[in-house]
Amino acid sequence: MANRILIKVQCFLVLIIIVLINGISVFAVSEAPEIKGVSAILVESKRGQVLFEKESKSRLHISSANKMMTALLALEKVGSKIDTPVTISKNAAAAQGSILNLEVGGKYSIQDLVYTVILTSANDSATALAEYVGGDFQSFVNIMNDKARELKMTDTNFTNPTGLYDEAQYTTAYDLAVLTRFALSNPYFEHMFSSQAKLWTNQGKVEVITNSNNLFWSYNGIDGGKTGYNEVERQTAITTATRDNLRVISIVLDSPEKSVYDDSTKLLDYGFNNYKTGVLVKKDQTLKSISVGDKPIDLISPIDVYYTFPIGEDYIKAIDLKLKEGIELPVLKTEVAGTMKYILKDNTEIGIDLYPAANVYSSVDMFSSMVKYMIEYRDITILLFILVGIEVILVLVKIFKGLKNALTKVLSRSKI
């Protein structure tokens, strides 16, 4: 019996040694989820690291892409003036599909129209925004496609601002993730995208419109969402969620109505259960030490740098260091001295500018700098010399008085 226990213990120790030697992670990433949607992708929001994908480059007709792009372009057009009024044309009021029955000639703010596009996919609102931004239908479509090219959405083509079906119109889950990440960098878009509900006034009636993404009310950490479809059994769900400093974007395309939220939940669970965001490089951490002349210099990152990685792995494939050519003294801590590039296993590249931890001067440089400063700020230098001279005189007077008092005491004692 004792021998059997000993053998089991020995086997366990051997297994531990093998794991340590071969670097096998005990925190293996769980099996990828089964997604019923035709296409899907899960990305980390800050750097766009792809955590999961299924047919992410397949071209599909996705109306939500049109709505997202239309809303973004409208907000970029007005900047901070989101209360800018838009007059509703007959063309906008006659829009087909999902609508809010906007009043012809009525005035609605850019902010309110964008809210309705994101929360309820209102086609009349999207048409009104397109006419305001582009002046006419085709001009706005050109702006949409120009923006897509700017963002390198290489598998996207728009033919209208609403997303109504057109066989010449397409995008991909990957491109939609690119668009979502960029749109979230706009604070107004991000705020509206994260809204669950909004008071809406139309033709004198006040009502509450709510976000069509039901995960707001069923999944912990949801902080953004949009849904849409052209056919009931081909649903789109775009969802963002944050837990433990990790924010992810889940995109499910052409999923059956009964499974679109189940697909989204599986994606989000997969991301949060298997990945985390942590510090890659700490602020003021010495990344490289060099010598310039006879002076040692530590190169640091002035900020904390974060990245996302599978739990239990460092996820770093390679590190590339490039120092600035011809570094000479003086070396100032405000000037970039090189770059440290971390290449992750998913080929994400993270470049970190390296700065000297402190200013480093040669002896000649310090003297030259002092002389140059004194010449450049002559008036201040003269004032400093005067102040120093006065201080020296005061000190000497104090010393003289002290000596005089001491001498007087000695003389008075000798007379006694």
Side-chain angles (χ1 to χ4, degrees), residues 125-173:
S125 295
T127 302
L129 290 171
E131 290 176 344
Y132 174 79
V133 175
D136 62 74
F137 185 90
Q138 190 54 51
S139 294
F140 183 74
V141 170
N142 292 339
I143 294 172
M144 294 175 77
N145 286 313
D146 286 344
K147 190 68 177 182
R149 284 190 288 271
E150 178 189 325
L151 296 178
K152 297 181 180 179
M153 297 167 62
T154 55
D155 290 303
T156 296
N157 184 61
F158 296 111
T159 63
N160 63 59
T162 61
L164 288 175
Y165 185 80
D166 185 324
E167 63 180 11
Q169 189 160 249
Y170 54 84
T171 190
T172 67

Side-chain angles (χ1 to χ4, degrees), residues 215-216 219-224 240-243 246-247 268 272:
L215 288 179
F216 271 109
Y219 194 90
N220 182 35
I222 298 298
D223 52 19
T240 62
T242 302
R243 291 183 187 176
L246 171 60
R247 189 181 195 188
L268 295 170
F272 291 130

